[in-house]
PDB file of all heavy atoms in Angstrom:
ATOM      1  N   VAL A 104      12.062  26.901 -12.690  1.00  0.00           N
ATOM      2  CA  VAL A 104      12.013  28.281 -13.204  1.00  0.00           C
ATOM      3  C   VAL A 104      10.596  28.836 -13.089  1.00  0.00           C
ATOM      4  O   VAL A 104      10.396  29.964 -12.635  1.00  0.00           O
ATOM      5  CB  VAL A 104      12.499  28.352 -14.675  1.00  0.00           C
ATOM      6  CG1 VAL A 104      12.229  29.722 -15.271  1.00  0.00           C
ATOM      7  CG2 VAL A 104      13.987  28.038 -14.747  1.00  0.00           C
ATOM      8  N   ALA A 105       9.606  28.030 -13.471  1.00  0.00           N
ATOM      9  CA  ALA A 105       8.208  28.485 -13.383  1.00  0.00           C
ATOM     10  C   ALA A 105       7.856  28.801 -11.933  1.00  0.00           C
ATOM     11  O   ALA A 105       7.207  29.805 -11.640  1.00  0.00           O
ATOM     12  CB  ALA A 105       7.272  27.415 -13.936  1.00  0.00           C
ATOM     13  N   ILE A 106       8.325  27.946 -11.032  1.00  0.00           N
ATOM     14  CA  ILE A 106       8.068  28.157  -9.611  1.00  0.00           C
ATOM     15  C   ILE A 106       8.730  29.454  -9.144  1.00  0.00           C
ATOM     16  O   ILE A 106       8.123  30.267  -8.465  1.00  0.00           O
ATOM     17  CB  ILE A 106       8.592  26.961  -8.782  1.00  0.00           C
ATOM     18  CG1 ILE A 106       7.727  25.732  -9.021  1.00  0.00           C
ATOM     19  CG2 ILE A 106       8.636  27.301  -7.302  1.00  0.00           C
ATOM     20  CD1 ILE A 106       8.353  24.430  -8.533  1.00  0.00           C
ATOM     21  N   SER A 107       9.994  29.640  -9.530  1.00  0.00           N
ATOM     22  CA  SER A 107      10.751  30.814  -9.088  1.00  0.00           C
ATOM     23  C   SER A 107      10.101  32.106  -9.550  1.00  0.00           C
ATOM     24  O   SER A 107      10.213  33.138  -8.893  1.00  0.00           O
ATOM     25  CB  SER A 107      12.188  30.766  -9.618  1.00  0.00           C
ATOM     26  OG  SER A 107      12.835  29.604  -9.179  1.00  0.00           O
ATOM     27  N   ALA A 108       9.442  32.043 -10.708  1.00  0.00           N
ATOM     28  CA  ALA A 108       8.862  33.251 -11.293  1.00  0.00           C
ATOM     29  C   ALA A 108       7.486  33.572 -10.729  1.00  0.00           C
ATOM     30  O   ALA A 108       6.920  34.610 -11.013  1.00  0.00           O
ATOM     31  CB  ALA A 108       8.754  33.071 -12.814  1.00  0.00           C
ATOM     32  N   SER A 109       6.929  32.656  -9.928  1.00  0.00           N
ATOM     33  CA  SER A 109       5.528  32.826  -9.547  1.00  0.00           C
ATOM     34  C   SER A 109       5.357  33.416  -8.156  1.00  0.00           C
ATOM     35  O   SER A 109       6.306  33.533  -7.402  1.00  0.00           O
ATOM     36  CB  SER A 109       4.826  31.477  -9.639  1.00  0.00           C
ATOM     37  OG  SER A 109       5.375  30.604  -8.682  1.00  0.00           O
ATOM     38  N   GLU A 110       4.131  33.763  -7.870  1.00  0.00           N
ATOM     39  CA  GLU A 110       3.771  34.254  -6.538  1.00  0.00           C
ATOM     40  C   GLU A 110       3.662  33.051  -5.620  1.00  0.00           C
ATOM     41  O   GLU A 110       2.832  32.186  -5.839  1.00  0.00           O
ATOM     42  CB  GLU A 110       2.409  34.965  -6.600  1.00  0.00           C
ATOM     43  CG  GLU A 110       2.458  36.268  -7.353  1.00  0.00           C
ATOM     44  CD  GLU A 110       3.491  37.234  -6.764  1.00  0.00           C
ATOM     45  OE1 GLU A 110       3.416  37.516  -5.556  1.00  0.00           O
ATOM     46  OE2 GLU A 110       4.378  37.669  -7.500  1.00  0.00           O
ATOM     47  N   LEU A 111       4.515  33.002  -4.617  1.00  0.00           N
ATOM     48  CA  LEU A 111       4.536  31.833  -3.751  1.00  0.00           C
ATOM     49  C   LEU A 111       4.278  32.219  -2.315  1.00  0.00           C
ATOM     50  O   LEU A 111       4.502  33.358  -1.922  1.00  0.00           O
ATOM     51  CB  LEU A 111       5.917  31.170  -3.820  1.00  0.00           C
ATOM     52  CG  LEU A 111       6.305  30.635  -5.181  1.00  0.00           C
ATOM     53  CD1 LEU A 111       7.742  30.182  -5.144  1.00  0.00           C
ATOM     54  CD2 LEU A 111       5.410  29.479  -5.562  1.00  0.00           C
ATOM     55  N   ASP A 112       3.851  31.235  -1.540  1.00  0.00           N
ATOM     56  CA  ASP A 112       3.727  31.501  -0.114  1.00  0.00           C
ATOM     57  C   ASP A 112       5.121  31.502   0.517  1.00  0.00           C
ATOM     58  O   ASP A 112       6.108  31.105  -0.108  1.00  0.00           O
ATOM     59  CB  ASP A 112       2.778  30.497   0.546  1.00  0.00           C
ATOM     60  CG  ASP A 112       3.342  29.089   0.605  1.00  0.00           C
ATOM     61  OD1 ASP A 112       4.492  28.872   0.177  1.00  0.00           O
ATOM     62  OD2 ASP A 112       2.629  28.199   1.082  1.00  0.00           O
ATOM     63  N   ALA A 113       5.196  31.963   1.757  1.00  0.00           N
ATOM     64  CA  ALA A 113       6.484  32.162   2.423  1.00  0.00           C
ATOM     65  C   ALA A 113       7.294  30.865   2.509  1.00  0.00           C
ATOM     66  O   ALA A 113       8.508  30.882   2.330  1.00  0.00           O
ATOM     67  CB  ALA A 113       6.267  32.742   3.816  1.00  0.00           C
ATOM     68  N   GLY A 114       6.613  29.736   2.746  1.00  0.00           N
ATOM     69  CA  GLY A 114       7.329  28.463   2.884  1.00  0.00           C
ATOM     70  C   GLY A 114       8.076  28.079   1.621  1.00  0.00           C
ATOM     71  O   GLY A 114       9.255  27.720   1.665  1.00  0.00           O
ATOM     72  N   ALA A 115       7.393  28.181   0.489  1.00  0.00           N
ATOM     73  CA  ALA A 115       8.022  27.818  -0.785  1.00  0.00           C
ATOM     74  C   ALA A 115       9.122  28.824  -1.139  1.00  0.00           C
ATOM     75  O   ALA A 115      10.189  28.438  -1.612  1.00  0.00           O
ATOM     76  CB  ALA A 115       6.974  27.756  -1.888  1.00  0.00           C
ATOM     77  N   ARG A 116       8.861  30.114  -0.899  1.00  0.00           N
ATOM     78  CA  ARG A 116       9.887  31.137  -1.174  1.00  0.00           C
ATOM     79  C   ARG A 116      11.142  30.863  -0.357  1.00  0.00           C
ATOM     80  O   ARG A 116      12.253  30.997  -0.851  1.00  0.00           O
ATOM     81  CB  ARG A 116       9.348  32.531  -0.859  1.00  0.00           C
ATOM     82  CG  ARG A 116       8.663  33.191  -2.047  1.00  0.00           C
ATOM     83  CD  ARG A 116       8.638  34.704  -1.908  1.00  0.00           C
ATOM     84  NE  ARG A 116       8.180  35.115  -0.594  1.00  0.00           N
ATOM     85  CZ  ARG A 116       6.906  35.304  -0.270  1.00  0.00           C
ATOM     86  NH1 ARG A 116       5.956  35.115  -1.161  1.00  0.00           N
ATOM     87  NH2 ARG A 116       6.569  35.689   0.934  1.00  0.00           N
ATOM     88  N   GLU A 117      10.944  30.474   0.893  1.00  0.00           N
ATOM     89  CA  GLU A 117      12.084  30.197   1.778  1.00  0.00           C
ATOM     90  C   GLU A 117      12.900  29.017   1.255  1.00  0.00           C
ATOM     91  O   GLU A 117      14.123  29.044   1.256  1.00  0.00           O
ATOM     92  CB  GLU A 117      11.573  29.923   3.203  1.00  0.00           C
ATOM     93  CG  GLU A 117      12.636  29.977   4.263  1.00  0.00           C
ATOM     94  CD  GLU A 117      13.621  31.148   4.094  1.00  0.00           C
ATOM     95  OE1 GLU A 117      13.196  32.313   4.033  1.00  0.00           O
ATOM     96  OE2 GLU A 117      14.836  30.865   4.000  1.00  0.00           O
ATOM     97  N   LYS A 118      12.221  27.986   0.763  1.00  0.00           N
ATOM     98  CA  LYS A 118      12.930  26.821   0.212  1.00  0.00           C
ATOM     99  C   LYS A 118      13.740  27.202  -1.028  1.00  0.00           C
ATOM    100  O   LYS A 118      14.856  26.738  -1.223  1.00  0.00           O
ATOM    101  CB  LYS A 118      11.938  25.705  -0.116  1.00  0.00           C
ATOM    102  CG  LYS A 118      11.393  25.037   1.128  1.00  0.00           C
ATOM    103  CD  LYS A 118      10.736  23.721   0.810  1.00  0.00           C
ATOM    104  CE  LYS A 118      10.396  22.987   2.102  1.00  0.00           C
ATOM    105  NZ  LYS A 118       9.281  23.593   2.836  1.00  0.00           N
ATOM    106  N   ILE A 119      13.146  28.046  -1.879  1.00  0.00           N
ATOM    107  CA  ILE A 119      13.872  28.484  -3.078  1.00  0.00           C
ATOM    108  C   ILE A 119      15.071  29.336  -2.678  1.00  0.00           C
ATOM    109  O   ILE A 119      16.162  29.176  -3.210  1.00  0.00           O
ATOM    110  CB  ILE A 119      12.938  29.263  -4.035  1.00  0.00           C
ATOM    111  CG1 ILE A 119      11.938  28.295  -4.662  1.00  0.00           C
ATOM    112  CG2 ILE A 119      13.741  29.962  -5.123  1.00  0.00           C
ATOM    113  CD1 ILE A 119      10.932  28.954  -5.548  1.00  0.00           C
ATOM    114  N   ARG A 120      14.863  30.237  -1.709  1.00  0.00           N
ATOM    115  CA  ARG A 120      15.974  31.075  -1.237  1.00  0.00           C
ATOM    116  C   ARG A 120      17.108  30.226  -0.685  1.00  0.00           C
ATOM    117  O   ARG A 120      18.273  30.457  -0.979  1.00  0.00           O
ATOM    118  CB  ARG A 120      15.481  32.050  -0.176  1.00  0.00           C
ATOM    119  CG  ARG A 120      15.574  33.508  -0.629  1.00  0.00           C
ATOM    120  CD  ARG A 120      15.534  34.484   0.520  1.00  0.00           C
ATOM    121  NE  ARG A 120      14.452  34.230   1.461  1.00  0.00           N
ATOM    122  CZ  ARG A 120      13.187  34.619   1.283  1.00  0.00           C
ATOM    123  NH1 ARG A 120      12.829  35.270   0.195  1.00  0.00           N
ATOM    124  NH2 ARG A 120      12.276  34.353   2.191  1.00  0.00           N
ATOM    125  N   ALA A 121      16.748  29.217   0.099  1.00  0.00           N
ATOM    126  CA  ALA A 121      17.769  28.333   0.679  1.00  0.00           C
ATOM    127  C   ALA A 121      18.528  27.600  -0.433  1.00  0.00           C
ATOM    128  O   ALA A 121      19.751  27.477  -0.387  1.00  0.00           O
ATOM    129  CB  ALA A 121      17.126  27.338   1.638  1.00  0.00           C
ATOM    130  N   ALA A 122      17.796  27.135  -1.443  1.00  0.00           N
ATOM    131  CA  ALA A 122      18.442  26.417  -2.549  1.00  0.00           C
ATOM    132  C   ALA A 122      19.345  27.347  -3.339  1.00  0.00           C
ATOM    133  O   ALA A 122      20.465  26.984  -3.701  1.00  0.00           O
ATOM    134  CB  ALA A 122      17.388  25.809  -3.459  1.00  0.00           C
ATOM    135  N   HIS A 123      18.863  28.560  -3.601  1.00  0.00           N
ATOM    136  CA  HIS A 123      19.698  29.541  -4.290  1.00  0.00           C
ATOM    137  C   HIS A 123      20.919  29.868  -3.450  1.00  0.00           C
ATOM    138  O   HIS A 123      22.007  30.038  -3.973  1.00  0.00           O
ATOM    139  CB  HIS A 123      18.910  30.819  -4.591  1.00  0.00           C
ATOM    140  CG  HIS A 123      18.409  30.877  -6.001  1.00  0.00           C
ATOM    141  ND1 HIS A 123      17.204  31.447  -6.336  1.00  0.00           N
ATOM    142  CD2 HIS A 123      18.931  30.437  -7.153  1.00  0.00           C
ATOM    143  CE1 HIS A 123      17.022  31.344  -7.646  1.00  0.00           C
ATOM    144  NE2 HIS A 123      18.046  30.734  -8.157  1.00  0.00           N
ATOM    145  N   GLY A 124      20.705  29.930  -2.133  1.00  0.00           N
ATOM    146  CA  GLY A 124      21.832  30.154  -1.227  1.00  0.00           C
ATOM    147  C   GLY A 124      22.880  29.073  -1.378  1.00  0.00           C
ATOM    148  O   GLY A 124      24.082  29.338  -1.368  1.00  0.00           O
ATOM    149  N   GLY A 125      22.411  27.835  -1.564  1.00  0.00           N
ATOM    150  CA  GLY A 125      23.328  26.713  -1.785  1.00  0.00           C
ATOM    151  C   GLY A 125      24.097  26.869  -3.082  1.00  0.00           C
ATOM    152  O   GLY A 125      25.299  26.598  -3.137  1.00  0.00           O
ATOM    153  N   LEU A 126      23.432  27.320  -4.133  1.00  0.00           N
ATOM    154  CA  LEU A 126      24.106  27.555  -5.415  1.00  0.00           C
ATOM    155  C   LEU A 126      25.156  28.651  -5.264  1.00  0.00           C
ATOM    156  O   LEU A 126      26.293  28.504  -5.715  1.00  0.00           O
ATOM    157  CB  LEU A 126      23.094  28.008  -6.476  1.00  0.00           C
ATOM    158  CG  LEU A 126      22.279  26.938  -7.171  1.00  0.00           C
ATOM    159  CD1 LEU A 126      21.209  27.579  -8.036  1.00  0.00           C
ATOM    160  CD2 LEU A 126      23.169  26.039  -8.019  1.00  0.00           C
ATOM    161  N   VAL A 127      24.749  29.737  -4.631  1.00  0.00           N
ATOM    162  CA  VAL A 127      25.661  30.875  -4.446  1.00  0.00           C
ATOM    163  C   VAL A 127      26.883  30.441  -3.638  1.00  0.00           C
ATOM    164  O   VAL A 127      28.018  30.778  -3.976  1.00  0.00           O
ATOM    165  CB  VAL A 127      24.912  32.064  -3.789  1.00  0.00           C
ATOM    166  CG1 VAL A 127      25.874  33.120  -3.309  1.00  0.00           C
ATOM    167  CG2 VAL A 127      23.910  32.664  -4.772  1.00  0.00           C
ATOM    168  N   ALA A 128      26.651  29.631  -2.592  1.00  0.00           N
ATOM    169  CA  ALA A 128      27.763  29.165  -1.754  1.00  0.00           C
ATOM    170  C   ALA A 128      28.793  28.385  -2.573  1.00  0.00           C
ATOM    171  O   ALA A 128      29.991  28.478  -2.320  1.00  0.00           O
ATOM    172  CB  ALA A 128      27.231  28.307  -0.609  1.00  0.00           C
ATOM    173  N   MET A 129      28.336  27.639  -3.585  1.00  0.00           N
ATOM    174  CA  MET A 129      29.254  26.847  -4.420  1.00  0.00           C
ATOM    175  C   MET A 129      30.273  27.725  -5.131  1.00  0.00           C
ATOM    176  O   MET A 129      31.394  27.318  -5.358  1.00  0.00           O
ATOM    177  CB  MET A 129      28.474  26.105  -5.509  1.00  0.00           C
ATOM    178  CG  MET A 129      27.697  24.931  -5.046  1.00  0.00           C
ATOM    179  SD  MET A 129      26.906  24.239  -6.529  1.00  0.00           S
ATOM    180  CE  MET A 129      25.432  23.601  -5.803  1.00  0.00           C
ATOM    181  N   VAL A 130      29.852  28.897  -5.538  1.00  0.00           N
ATOM    182  CA  VAL A 130      30.730  29.732  -6.361  1.00  0.00           C
ATOM    183  C   VAL A 130      31.560  30.695  -5.509  1.00  0.00           C
ATOM    184  O   VAL A 130      32.552  31.223  -5.970  1.00  0.00           O
ATOM    185  CB  VAL A 130      29.895  30.438  -7.469  1.00  0.00           C
ATOM    186  CG1 VAL A 130      29.238  31.693  -6.981  1.00  0.00           C
ATOM    187  CG2 VAL A 130      30.740  30.703  -8.696  1.00  0.00           C
ATOM    188  N   VAL A 131      31.188  30.869  -4.244  1.00  0.00           N
ATOM    189  CA  VAL A 131      31.935  31.774  -3.356  1.00  0.00           C
ATOM    190  C   VAL A 131      33.398  31.342  -3.264  1.00  0.00           C
ATOM    191  O   VAL A 131      34.312  32.180  -3.359  1.00  0.00           O
ATOM    192  CB  VAL A 131      31.284  31.847  -1.947  1.00  0.00           C
ATOM    193  CG1 VAL A 131      32.185  32.581  -0.962  1.00  0.00           C
ATOM    194  CG2 VAL A 131      29.937  32.556  -2.028  1.00  0.00           C
ATOM    195  N   ASP A 132      33.637  30.025  -3.123  1.00  0.00           N
ATOM    196  CA  ASP A 132      35.018  29.533  -2.994  1.00  0.00           C
ATOM    197  C   ASP A 132      35.837  29.836  -4.250  1.00  0.00           C
ATOM    198  O   ASP A 132      36.992  30.248  -4.149  1.00  0.00           O
ATOM    199  CB  ASP A 132      35.032  28.024  -2.729  1.00  0.00           C
ATOM    200  CG  ASP A 132      34.485  27.691  -1.346  1.00  0.00           C
ATOM    201  OD1 ASP A 132      34.432  28.608  -0.489  1.00  0.00           O
ATOM    202  OD2 ASP A 132      34.105  26.531  -1.127  1.00  0.00           O
TER     203      ASP A 132
END
Side-chain angles (χ1 to χ4, degrees):
V104 170
I106 289 166
S107 301
S109 65
E110 290 303 305
L111 297 173
D112 69 2
R116 270 203 312 272
E117 195 42 56
K118 288 196 171 72
I119 290 177
R120 245 199 311 279
H123 261 145
L126 278 172
V127 167
M129 285 181 212
V130 84
V131 170
D132 291 342

